[in-house]
Each structure stands twice: as C-alpha cells, then as structure tokens.
Amino acid sequence: MLSRWMSGSSRSLEREYGCTVRLLDDSEYTCTLQRDAKGQYLFDLLCHHLNLLEKDYFGIRFVDPDKQRHWLEFTKSVVKQMRAQPPFTMCFRVKFYPTDPAALKEEITRYLVFLQIKRDLYHGRLLCKTSDAALLAAYILQAEIGDYDPGKHPEGYSSKFQFFPKHSEKLERKIAEIHKTELSGQTPATSELNFLRKAQTLETYGVDPHPCKDVSGNAAFLAFTPFGFVVLQGNKRIHFIKWNEVAKMKFEGKTFCLYVSQKEEKKIALTYFAPTPEACKHLWKCGIENQAFYKLEKSSQVRTVSSSNLFFKGSRFRYSGRVAKEVMESSAKIKREPPEIHRAGLVPSRSCPSITHGPRLSSVPRTRRRAVHISIMEVTSKGEMSVSTTRLYLLIHSEGPAQEASKDLVKYSNGQFISITETGIDLSSFLALVKRRGLPRQ
C-alpha cells in the first residue's frame, strides 16, 4: 500500500503541464512545466529564448478565472499559482519601466520596451496631446516600414495602421506628414530610441492603471510609475507622490490606504476602494514591489511588509528581486556582441490582441476583424503561371472570461470559406462563430 501511494505521488510530481506565453510582438512561446517548477525557471526559459540579459524590468502576467490580473511570483511554483486548468496561458510584459529607457545598455532591451510602450499607446494607457501622438506614431511608422516611398505608400497610407484606440483623419495626415518630411534616413533602432525618449517625458509613462473609487465614490485609476504613485481621474493626473514621500501602504478588504510623509513631519492618508478584495491585494503588492525597486539602494534593504498595522495580522509580502540601482550597475558590465533582433513589421489595422493589457484610461472599441488580400501564383497543369486573389480573414475572438483572445486565420476564395490555416479548428466551428458574430469585414 505504501509503495502504491509512493508510486501515485511520484506520478503526480512527474506530471507535465502545458504552458503558452504570449510575447510582446504577439508571437508565442510554448513549453511544458513540471509540477514543482518555480516561476523563475519559466522566466529564465523566456529570457534565454529572447536572448535577454537586462531581464529585471520584465515579468510574466496572467489572469485568473475571475478576470483578476496577477504577476507570476518567481519564488513559488507556477502550477500552484494557477487557478485555471492547464494548459496555462500567460503574457511576457514590462513590469518595471526603466527610469530612462534610452540609457538601457542593449538594443534588444530597448526594442522590447519599445514594443510594450507601443502597446500602451494603442490600449489608451499612454495619454498625450495630439502633437505628441502624431510624433510617436510617426516614429513607429519609420521604425517598422522605413522611409516614405511614394511608390509603396499611397495617399492615406497611415490610416491603414492602428496606433491609438481611435484617431481622426487630421491626425492621420499629421502622422504621414512627419513621417515623410522629418524622419527620413532614421534606422529602426534610432526611431525606437527617439520614440522612447519622447514617451519617457509624458505624465502617464509607465502607468499600469488599477481601477478604484475615491471616498466620494468617484471613479479613479491608481498607478505606480518609475517616479512615484499617481492618481488619474478623467484622463488627468490629479495626484503625484514621489517615492521618497510614500511612507507606507496598507490594505484591508477592498480598502487601500497610502500614507504620505510631508514637510514638518506631517502625514496624510489617501484612501481608495478597489472593486474586490483580490484586486486590492494585487494593487498593494504592485505598490510594495515598485517602491522597493525604485526607492531602495540595494536589495539587502528589502523587508517583509504586512498589509495591516499589526504585523501578525493580514497579508505579508516580500519583494524578491534586485532593485533599479543594482540592475543599472549590472547592465554596465555587459560585454558581448549585440544579439540579432528580429523585428516584426507593422500589420495594417493591427489590434495587438491580449486580455492582460488591463484597463484603459480611455474606453474605445477596438477593431475585431480584418481582411488581407493576397495574390497567389499558381502553376497550371500546362506549366503556365496564373494569378488568383485569395482573401485571408483574421478573426479575433475570445471564448470564456479567462481565455486569451485567439486568432483564427481563414482562407476565403470564390465566395466560399475554404480552410483555416493557423489554429486547426474545424470549418464548422468557424462558420458557427461567423453566424453568431457576423461576417468578417471586406
């Protein structure tokens, strides 16, 4: 009986779990994990895959069945942190935005941060005035399609790309004007660097908004940036507290309190209410990690923090990584040949699908379907070349509250849906989706 128990226990430990991580360029990394594999193991696999050394700025995010976002804790078992059934789906994202992204040592790191901020711009988290928006979008165009070429870029070409939740024709014309007249000759790396320099100056750079309500019941977004704690209401920053002024953070249930030290030893408390206790705990943990990363001089100063005024009561948490100063010092010692970067070019009407992008500071519906016309050369039985046009439809959809948005690439020709070339789901399943959601736009 003991041997049977030990045999069953051994099989349980040896069980492998499928895991898919969506990367910043929307490609996917798939692997299997043992039951006791720690978060650090998965993170190291991803960084090796990306050839990334300056990895402390990044993290792995997932969403539980209740739609609550979490950062994967590297010191704990991956499987034990998952509440969903395998295979697990996660996202590789920037967790700690660099204080000065232009000062990052390696181009590969700057490129990944560029991809993250581009997502922030698209999802409405990076807010800016029209002139700044046009310049940022023009940098993206230059980085990903190169110099303006009248032969390749007809009138209105910038309107085919989605940089923001929504934008006007006037803004599209301004983007194209800057791209045509001001950025010619810039390499992708230079355009990305200029993009980062501009983005870093904006008030909402690095903002990962947490929806809350203030004591009056007004909606607000709380966020932690490289420079401190911010509160946003109506797309405007109404509070900014520097990290050296943040005395402590506490939470109980749905209530989050941030204590601020001011001159003459005065302290004030800002109180907000999260949608759920789990969301409040996530907010608190993010605050603890960000304060430790940006404020402390060395990781040996990190202490275990309690969510309550009584240490033995409430939740306890300890940041487990290096701090910003140590990361910069370590980066300065990197000496290797720059790794090759495989950049993903812009796709017209790109939607950057992901359920883990979090709340937006502006609420605008996103494009859900797109059609791409492709000419295919075919060889006839007589050896002659003929050209046929096939439409490829990319239908982005989500099945279930905690599922990643999936991409189904469907071939359509001569008035019929022929096959699904990417996900392998059967044609009847796709036609059922079409019936429920409407035909793809042509």
Side-chain angles (χ1 to χ4, degrees):
M1 185 172 181
L2 178 61
S3 62
R4 190 184 307 146
W5 177 85
M6 290 180 67
S7 175
S9 175
S10 176
R11 285 195 298 269
S12 176
L13 287 173
E14 291 174 0
R15 180 181 174 185
E16 292 185 338
Y17 297 81
C19 177
T20 298
V21 182
R22 179 164 292 169
L23 307 178
L24 283 160
D25 62 357
D26 284 332
S27 64
E28 293 181 344
Y29 177 84
T30 302
C31 65
T32 56
L33 300 172
Q34 299 291 336
R35 183 178 181 84
D36 58 349
K38 299 284 196 300
Q40 186 68 54
Y41 171 77
L42 175 59
F43 185 66
D44 288 342
L45 282 180
L46 289 168
C47 292
H48 178 74
H49 171 73
L50 294 166
N51 208 352
L52 177 66
L53 293 184
E54 295 175 288
K55 55 189 180 181
D56 300 77
Y57 300 104
F58 302 87
I60 301 172
R61 172 169 270 165
F62 65 95
V63 177
D64 68 22
D66 296 324
K67 298 184 180 181
Q68 175 58 51
R69 297 183 300 157
H70 302 272
W71 287 107
L72 190 70
E73 294 187 41
F74 293 165
T75 59
K76 296 181 179 179
S77 161
V78 174
V79 175
K80 289 183 179 179
Q81 294 180 66
M82 298 293 110
R83 286 172 52 191
Q85 293 297 314
F88 307 125
T89 302
M90 308 176 208
C91 290
F92 181 84
R93 297 291 181 259
V94 171
K95 184 176 183 180
F96 302 111
Y97 287 73
T99 305
D100 181 4
L104 292 167
K105 175 77 171 183
E106 295 202 303
E107 185 181 334
I108 181 66
T109 319
R110 291 194 295 272
Y111 175 62
L112 293 173
V113 176
F114 163 78
L115 291 178
Q116 175 68 65
I117 301 175
K118 190 176 70 167
R119 299 180 74 90
D120 294 344
L121 192 67
Y122 175 81
H123 289 299
R125 293 191 295 267
L126 183 65
L127 304 178
C128 52
K129 57 186 181 181
T130 304
S131 59
D132 291 336
L135 180 59
L136 288 170
Y139 282 137
I140 295 173
L141 270 183
Q142 181 66 26
E144 302 197 3
I145 69 173
D147 290 347
Y148 169 72
D149 182 343
K152 297 179 180 178
H153 307 135
E155 188 69 25
Y157 71 100
S158 66
S159 65
K160 300 182 184 298
F161 304 99
Q162 192 81 21
F163 304 105
F164 316 101
K166 67 175 181 179
H167 49 83
S168 64
E169 291 183 6
K170 182 179 179 181
L171 178 56
E172 290 169 1
R173 290 194 296 270
K174 183 63 176 175
I175 293 168
E177 179 187 344
I178 296 173
H179 179 231
K180 291 177 184 179
T181 62
E182 299 181 24
L183 307 182
S184 180
Q186 287 192 13
T187 65
T190 300
S191 294
E192 290 159 7
L193 183 61
N194 289 333
F195 175 92
L196 293 175
R197 284 172 172 158
K198 184 61 184 177
Q200 187 263 332
T201 65
L202 302 176
E203 283 189 348
T204 49
Y205 167 72
V207 161
D208 181 19
H210 299 254
C212 291
K213 290 185 177 180
D214 63 18
V215 291
S216 300
N218 301 312
F221 288 103
L222 311 188
F224 309 102
T225 77
F227 314 104
F229 169 79
V230 299
V231 180
L232 301 117
Q233 281 185 333
N235 294 351
K236 293 183 179 180
R237 191 174 75 177
I238 62 170
H239 288 299
F240 169 62
I241 314 296
K242 294 180 180 179
W243 283 122
N244 58 8
E245 296 175 347
V246 176
K248 58 183 176 180
M249 289 170 274
K250 303 291 182 183
F251 88 94
E252 184 172 352
K254 300 180 183 180
T255 305
F256 174 79
C257 291
L258 182 135
Y259 297 88
V260 183
S261 296
Q262 294 190 322
K263 294 179 181 179
E264 300 176 0
E265 298 184 354
K266 290 183 179 179
K267 286 187 179 181
I268 62 171
L270 299 176
T271 302
Y272 291 89
F273 304 97
T276 65
E278 196 65 28
C280 198
K281 183 176 182 178
H282 175 63
L283 170 65
W284 173 73
K285 289 171 71 173
C286 288
I288 297 301
E289 290 191 309
N290 275 269
Q291 186 179 31
F293 184 80
Y294 294 113
K295 182 179 179 180
L296 299 182
E297 293 289 316
K298 47 189 177 181
S299 53
S300 60
Q301 296 174 327
V302 175
R303 298 288 181 267
T304 300
V305 181
S306 173
S307 65
S308 170
N309 289 324
L310 299 175
F311 188 78
F312 56 84
K313 184 181 178 182
S315 299
R316 287 189 290 174
F317 181 67
R318 179 187 177 94
Y319 171 59
S320 60
R322 296 191 294 182
V323 302
K325 186 175 181 180
E326 292 173 331
V327 174
M328 290 296 291
E329 291 172 350
S330 176
S331 295
K333 299 175 183 177
I334 294 175
K335 293 180 180 179
R336 66 168 177 173
E337 286 296 317
E340 184 179 358
I341 298 174
H342 301 283
R343 289 179 167 84
L346 267 179
V347 176
S349 301
R350 188 169 185 170
S351 60
C352 300
S354 169
I355 62 163
T356 61
H357 59 259
R360 286 180 286 166
L361 300 178
S362 57
S363 179
V364 182
R366 297 191 293 279
T367 301
R368 303 294 291 176
R369 298 178 286 270
R370 67 176 179 268
V372 182
H373 296 257
I374 299 178
S375 294
I376 301 177
M377 300 295 295
E378 296 179 343
V379 182
T380 66
S381 58
K382 297 180 180 180
E384 298 172 343
M385 301 296 292
S386 65
V387 180
S388 65
T389 298
T390 297
R391 296 189 186 96
L392 295 177
Y393 288 99
L394 181 60
L395 177 69
I396 300 165
H397 63 92
S398 178
E399 297 290 347
Q403 298 295 316
E404 276 283 339
S406 59
K407 304 176 185 177
D408 301 328
L409 192 60
V410 182
K411 188 180 292 184
Y412 178 88
S413 183
N414 298 324
Q416 293 183 336
F417 291 103
I418 299 175
S419 63
I420 294 176
T421 60
E422 200 168 89
T423 60
I425 66 172
D426 62 279
L427 190 57
S428 61
S429 298
F430 174 75
L431 293 176
L433 276 170
V434 170
K435 186 176 181 180
R436 292 201 306 271
R437 299 167 184 267
L439 285 170
R441 296 173 186 167
Q442 296 191 26

